[in-house]
Amino acid sequence: RVSVTGLTKKQRKEQKKMDRRNKANQLRRNKKDMVLTEKRRLGSRDGPPHLVAVVSLHAAVDAGAVTKLLRGEGAGGVVHQEQGISGISDSFGMILPRFKQRFTFLNHSTADMHALLDVAKIADSLVFVLDATEGWDSYGDYCLSCLFAQGLPSHALVCQGVSDHHVKKRVESRRALSKITEIRFPDARLFPLDSEQDATLLLRHLGAQRQRKLGFRSRRPHLLAQHVTFTPNSPAEGTGGGPTGLGTLCVSGYVRGRPLRVDRLVHITGHGDFQLSQIDAPSDPLPLNLTTARPAKPGKGGDVDMQDGGEDEAAVRVLMKADPAVRESLHAEAEVDPMDGEQTWPTETELLEAEEARKNKRVMKVPKGTSDYQAMWIVDEDEEENGEMDEESSDDDDDDNMLDEAMDGEDEENHSQEAGSGSEEEEEEEEEEEVCSTERSGADQRYDEHIDEAAEEEGLKRYREARANEMFPDEVDTPLDTAARIRFQRYRGLKSFRSSPWDPMENLPVNYSRIFQFQSFERTRHRILAEAAAEEEGAMVGWYVTLHIIDVPLSVMESVQSGRPLMLVSLLPHEQKMSVMHLLVRRHPSNTEPIKSKEELVFHCGFRRFRASPIFSQHTSADKHKMERFLRPDAPTVVSVYAPITFPPAGVLLFKQRNDGIQDLVATGSLLSCDPQRVVLKRIVLSGHPFKINRRSAVVRYMFFNRDDIMWFKPVELRTKWGRRGHIKEALG
C-alpha cells in the first residue's frame, strides 16, 4: 500500500529529472560567471596588467615601429616608460583610461629562440607582425612551429604598409595576405597598423578578446620580473664558510596564474630551483587611477572611481616570511639505505611455499653448463615438434627470435653495428655517400673551404647506421674476435615479446634507488592539481610583490643584464624531485638528419629547460616496450629521460645543437607520464645464411663462429623469413 502523501514512481522520476536539469543550469551559470570574472580581472585594477609581446615574423618588418605607434599620444594611452620588463630595452607600461585597462608591452628579438619561447610561456597575448606581401619568411615559419608546439596563447595578426598601396589594390593585397595566413590562423583577423586610429582598434581587440588557457601555466603561480636586484652573501651567510658566489635575488613583478606561497620552491627558467625567504608588497608602480573622485548624482549610477593608494601609502610591507620547518627542501634525490634490501630469515609460510615449488619443479634434459634460470626458458620437446611443423607466418614479427636487454646502460653494441655497416658492397656505399651529401648541402649550405671533415664523417656514419637499421631492423652481426656468449651475455631469449614475463625490478643498479617513484602517479597528480586549484593562501593574483630568493648564483643576474627576461614559476609539491619522465613526441617535418638514441638534446618541458641524453622506445599498451635506436619519422615515439618531476599537461620541444651553436627543432609533443618501472628492452636479431636445406631441417652458417656459442644459444627458438620455426639440433664442425 502507498500512503496518500507519497509520490508515485513516475512523479519521483520527473522530480529527479528537474533536479538534474536545475543542477546543470547552475553549473553552467557558475562556470560562465567564473570565466567572465577572470576575463574582466585581466588588465583591470584587481588583476595583473595585460602582458603583450610583439613578435616579428619577417626579416623585412620592424616590430619597433609597432611599439612606437602604440605608445603614441593618438592611441589614447598613458605611457609609463620606466615600468617595463627588466632586461628588455623596448618595453613599457600603458594605462588606457578609456577602456579601464592597463597593459605591459615588450618587443623581444626572435634571434634567441629559447628567450622567445620563455616569453611566450608567460605572455597573455602575442602580436605577430607580418610582411604586407609575403606574410612570414622561413625563419618566421620555424618560430611559429615552435610556438604552436609549446602552446600558443591569445594572439593578433598585424601588418604595416597596406596603406602605401593604391586604393584599388588594397583589397587585393589584404585578400592575398589573408589567404597566406589562413594556413596557420584559419579564424584570425588581420589588423592593418598604419595610423594611431588603427592602434586604438588593436588595443581594444587585445583587451576584449577571449583568452586562451595554457594548462601548464594556469595551474601554477608564475611571474615575469620587472625589477631585479642582487645582494651577495656575506661570509657568515650561505652554506659555505667563505664567499661562494651566491646571493639573494630580489625579483619584483605581478603574480599571475594562482596564489603564490612563500614555503613553496620557485624555478627560474634556465637556472634551477631555489627557496624563498620572504615576500614583500611594495606599492603598485602602474596604478589604474582613472579620474579624480566625482560625486555621484542622486538616483543614477555614477562613474566608478578606480584609484590606487599610490606613493602616499607605506612604501614596503612584509607579507609573509618562510618558516624553515615548513618550507620545502631542495633535495632532488632520495637517500639510499644500503641495508634496505638486506635479506631476512624466511618465515614458515615462505618455507612451505618453497618446499611446494620444489616438489612441483619440472624435470628436463638441458645442455651441460646450463643454469637453473636459463633452463626456465627451454621449451619441451612436444612444443618443439609443434613449432617445426608450423608453416604459417607469425602475426607478430617482434615475438620470435629476439634477444632483449634491460636498458641499464648497455652501449657496446655500437661496435657491432659499425662492423655490420662496413660489410656492405662498395657500390652501395658510394650511392649512399652521394645521397647523404646532397641532403646535407641543401640543409646547411656550408660546403666551402671551411668544411669540418670530422663532422661530415660523423654525419655520413650516422646516415649509414640509420639506413641499415631501417632496412634490417635490429639485426646485428656476430663479432669474430669476441665470443657471442660473452658479447651478448646481458641478453636473454624470449619466446614471446608480448606474453613472456619480465620483472621490472630485476638487476637494477644501485643508483636507481636515488630517484623517486609514485605508488599511483595519476592519483597523486589529480590530488595535487585539485589542491592547487583550491589554494587561497599566499600572494593573490594581481598583486605586485617582491620575492626574496636565497642562494642564487651570480650568473642569474648576469643573464638579466645581458638582455634576457627573467621568468620564475612556483613549483607544485614533488616537482623538484628526480624521476624517470616519459614524453610522447613526433618528429618535426623540417628535421631530416637521423637522431640516435642517447644523443644529447635540449628539452623544453613546461617552464623547464634542460639538457639530457634520452632513449627512444615504441608507444604501445603492452607491459614491455621495444627500444628504438633512432627517432622514427613516421610514428610517435616515447622519449624516456632522467628529469625533475612535472605534472601533465605540458608541451615538449626537443632541440639538437650543431657544432656552430645553432639549434634545430627535432621533435614536438607532450608530457606522457612518470613511471620508473616502464620496461624498455633492446632487441637484437642474429641472422645466418642457409647452406643446405632439407625437408625437415637446414644447415645454417655465419650465425655463430664458435661451438660453445652454439650450445649457449641452443634453447632460443629460431624463425625464418617466411615464418617457419624451429630450434638448434646440433653443431657441425
Side-chain angles (χ1 to χ4, degrees):
R1 301 179 59 183
V2 182
S3 61
V4 179
T5 58
L7 298 176
T8 62
K9 185 176 181 181
K10 183 178 181 181
Q11 290 174 334
R12 285 197 301 268
K13 186 176 181 181
E14 291 291 335
Q15 188 175 13
K16 290 181 180 179
K17 183 178 180 180
M18 293 184 63
D19 292 342
R20 291 195 302 267
R21 185 177 300 172
N22 291 333
K23 184 178 180 180
N25 291 334
Q26 290 176 356
L27 292 176
R28 189 183 301 110
R29 192 181 307 112
N30 294 338
K31 189 173 182 179
K32 183 179 179 180
D33 294 342
M34 183 178 62
V35 172
L36 289 176
T37 302
E38 186 176 353
K39 179 181 178 181
R40 292 165 182 166
R41 180 185 300 175
L42 181 63
S44 65
R45 183 175 182 267
D46 298 329
H50 195 121
L51 183 60
V52 182
V54 182
V55 181
S56 62
L57 297 180
H58 199 282
V61 300
D62 183 15
V66 175
T67 56
K68 183 179 179 180
L69 195 61
L70 290 173
R71 69 163 65 99
E73 296 181 359
V78 181
V79 179
H80 295 258
Q81 189 65 39
E82 69 280 358
Q83 302 303 331
I85 304 301
S86 179
I88 300 179
S89 57
D90 191 3
S91 60
F92 57 93
M94 175 185 290
I95 296 178
L96 290 175
R98 181 180 176 184
F99 303 140
K100 299 180 182 181
Q101 288 183 330
R102 51 182 178 171
F103 292 86
T104 299
F105 287 92
L106 61 95
N107 173 24
H108 194 271
S109 174
T110 57
D112 189 353
M113 178 56 65
H114 295 306
L116 175 62
L117 292 175
D118 293 341
V119 169
K121 290 174 185 176
I122 208 168
D124 297 314
S125 298
L126 296 179
V127 175
F128 295 115
V129 185
L130 310 178
D131 184 67
T133 56
E134 298 182 2
W136 52 74
D137 53 9
S138 59
Y139 186 74
D141 187 74
Y142 172 69
C143 295
L144 287 177
S145 299
C146 297
L147 292 174
F148 272 96
Q150 177 180 265
L152 192 66
S154 302
H155 52 273
L157 303 182
V158 168
C159 65
Q160 287 185 315
V162 178
S163 61
D164 298 338
H165 297 285
H166 193 268
V167 179
K168 296 183 179 180
K169 294 185 178 180
R170 290 179 186 176
V171 178
E172 297 179 1
S173 176
R174 292 190 60 179
R175 185 180 294 113
L177 188 57
S178 299
K179 189 172 293 185
I180 296 174
T181 57
E182 70 181 4
I183 299 175
R184 289 276 192 180
F185 308 96
D187 300 327
R189 176 184 172 187
L190 188 61
F191 290 87
L193 196 62
D194 296 316
S195 63
E196 294 178 346
Q197 184 180 3
D198 296 337
T200 304
L201 293 176
L202 177 62
L203 291 174
R204 173 182 293 178
H205 173 74
L206 291 175
Q209 72 175 345
R210 179 185 177 187
Q211 295 298 314
R212 301 180 63 179
K213 273 193 173 183
L214 300 181
F216 67 91
R217 77 177 185 185
S218 62
R219 292 177 170 88
R220 297 173 178 83
H222 52 278
L223 182 143
L224 179 62
Q226 296 194 206
H227 183 67
V228 183
T229 59
F230 182 80
T231 305
N233 289 341
S234 61
E237 298 176 354
T239 56
T244 58
L246 304 178
T248 301
L249 191 72
C250 297
V251 180
S252 300
Y254 292 93
V255 180
R256 303 172 184 271
R258 303 297 306 168
L260 178 63
R261 293 179 53 178
V262 70
D263 55 350
R264 295 281 173 83
L265 299 178
V266 294
H267 174 77
I268 301 178
T269 304
H271 298 282
D273 304 336
F274 304 96
Q275 292 178 327
L276 295 176
S277 60
Q278 71 180 39
I279 300 179
D280 299 339
S283 58
D284 194 338
L286 197 66
L288 191 58
N289 295 332
L290 299 180
T291 57
T292 57
R294 294 184 297 178
K297 295 181 180 180
K300 295 183 179 180
D303 294 339
V304 180
D305 183 19
M306 303 177 67
Q307 292 187 353
D308 197 85
E311 300 177 355
D312 297 336
E313 294 185 355
V316 177
R317 64 182 185 274
V318 179
L319 284 181
M320 56 196 76
K321 289 190 176 182
D323 185 4
V326 182
R327 183 171 55 188
E328 292 189 10
S329 66
L330 290 170
H331 291 161
E333 298 179 353
E335 297 181 359
V336 182
D337 185 6
M339 302 299 293
D340 191 24
E342 189 68 19
Q343 179 66 40
T344 57
W345 189 258
T347 61
E348 294 183 359
T349 305
E350 293 175 345
L351 291 175
L352 292 176
E353 291 178 355
E355 183 65 23
E356 188 69 20
R358 189 184 64 83
K359 292 180 180 179
N360 298 333
K361 191 173 182 180
R362 185 178 56 170
V363 180
M364 63 177 65
K365 295 181 180 180
V366 298
K368 187 177 181 181
T370 304
S371 62
D372 294 340
Y373 182 76
Q374 292 174 336
M376 295 173 59
W377 303 93
I378 299 178
V379 297
D380 295 334
E381 294 181 359
D382 297 339
E383 297 181 4
E384 181 178 351
E385 293 177 358
N386 295 334
E388 290 178 353
M389 296 297 294
D390 185 12
E391 297 183 2
E392 297 180 357
S393 60
S394 175
D395 294 337
D396 188 359
D397 292 342
D398 294 341
D399 288 353
D400 309 298
N401 192 25
M402 60 182 67
L403 298 170
D404 298 276
E405 177 193 14
M407 289 304 302
D408 296 337
E410 174 67 39
D411 201 15
E412 299 178 0
E413 186 197 336
N414 300 334
H415 303 289
S416 300
Q417 292 183 347
E418 294 171 6
S421 62
S423 62
E424 300 175 355
E425 296 182 2
E426 188 172 354
E427 295 179 0
E428 294 181 357
E429 291 182 357
E430 293 178 357
E431 292 177 1
E432 291 171 6
E433 186 172 359
E434 291 176 1
V435 173
C436 297
S437 299
T438 54
E439 290 180 359
R440 290 182 63 86
S441 63
D444 295 339
Q445 296 181 358
R446 294 189 298 112
Y447 283 89
D448 49 17
E449 63 274 6
H450 303 290
I451 292 179
D452 189 356
E453 296 183 359
E456 295 297 316
E457 293 179 0
E458 181 67 23
L460 179 59
K461 173 184 172 184
R462 191 181 293 109
Y463 269 110
R464 288 176 173 173
E465 291 180 359
R467 183 171 179 181
N469 183 72
E470 183 179 359
M471 296 176 62
F472 308 101
D474 306 320
E475 286 198 16
V476 178
D477 291 338
T478 307
L480 296 174
D481 54 349
T482 307
R485 64 183 183 278
I486 303 298
R487 169 64 185 86
F488 306 120
Q489 61 183 349
R490 303 185 65 170
Y491 293 77
R492 71 180 62 169
L494 290 186
K495 180 176 177 59
S496 172
F497 193 94
R498 178 184 57 84
S499 59
S500 296
W502 193 296
D503 186 7
M505 307 301 291
E506 176 187 347
N507 294 333
L508 294 178
V510 178
N511 291 334
Y512 207 74
S513 59
R514 296 164 59 187
I515 64 175
F516 288 87
Q517 178 182 350
F518 295 98
Q519 187 174 4
S520 176
F521 179 73
E522 283 299 320
R523 185 168 63 243
T524 305
R525 169 181 168 271
H526 286 297
R527 177 180 58 83
I528 289 180
L529 293 182
E531 293 175 356
E535 186 67 52
E536 297 294 340
E537 298 180 359
M540 304 306 293
V541 177
W543 289 5
Y544 185 81
V545 297
T546 299
L547 308 181
H548 295 257
I549 311 173
I550 58 176
D551 293 339
V552 179
L554 183 60
S555 60
V556 179
M557 190 63 189
E558 293 175 350
S559 175
V560 176
Q561 293 174 352
S562 65
R564 292 190 175 187
L566 181 67
M567 275 146 294
L568 55 89
V569 57
S570 179
L571 298 178
L572 298 176
H574 310 298
E575 284 197 330
Q576 81 278 13
K577 301 175 181 177
M578 296 291 294
S579 186
V580 180
M581 302 300 299
H582 304 288
L583 323 171
L584 182 61
V585 302
R586 184 181 288 271
R587 188 164 177 174
H588 196 261
S590 63
N591 183 265
T592 57
E593 295 186 6
I595 306 299
K596 197 172 183 178
S597 183
K598 301 181 185 178
E599 191 171 352
E600 187 181 60
L601 300 174
V602 180
F603 288 77
H604 275 260
C605 182
F607 280 99
R608 292 189 180 273
R609 184 173 69 244
F610 55 90
R611 293 175 179 268
S613 299
I615 60 173
F616 307 138
S617 59
Q618 292 181 348
H619 179 48
T620 60
S621 59
D623 59 343
K624 296 181 289 296
H625 310 272
K626 189 177 81 70
M627 174 195 168
E628 295 287 351
R629 291 171 172 80
F630 291 88
L631 185 62
R632 298 184 58 181
D634 56 345
T637 306
V638 176
V639 177
S640 303
V641 63
Y642 289 109
I645 296 171
T646 303
F647 293 103
V652 174
L653 285 83
L654 275 65
F655 292 87
K656 179 185 177 183
Q657 185 169 349
R658 303 186 199 169
N659 296 331
D660 54 2
I662 300 177
Q663 294 185 354
D664 298 328
L665 180 63
V666 172
T668 60
S670 60
L671 189 59
L672 183 61
S673 65
C674 171
D675 185 11
Q677 292 193 7
R678 187 178 190 270
V679 179
V680 180
L681 303 180
K682 182 187 290 185
R683 172 180 181 260
I684 64 171
V685 176
L686 301 180
S687 59
H689 185 271
F691 176 71
K692 186 178 181 181
I693 301 177
N694 300 321
R695 183 178 179 85
R696 298 290 299 276
S697 63
V699 179
V700 180
R701 60 179 180 177
Y702 304 140
M703 181 179 290
F704 300 106
F705 305 99
N706 192 324
R707 188 179 186 88
D708 296 335
D709 291 343
I710 298 176
M711 301 303 296
W712 176 269
F713 288 98
K714 191 173 182 180
V716 181
E717 190 178 31
L718 303 180
R719 179 180 56 85
T720 66
K721 182 180 180 181
W722 303 108
R724 294 195 176 213
R725 301 181 182 182
H727 284 84
I728 299 176
K729 284 189 173 182
E730 59 179 345
L732 302 179

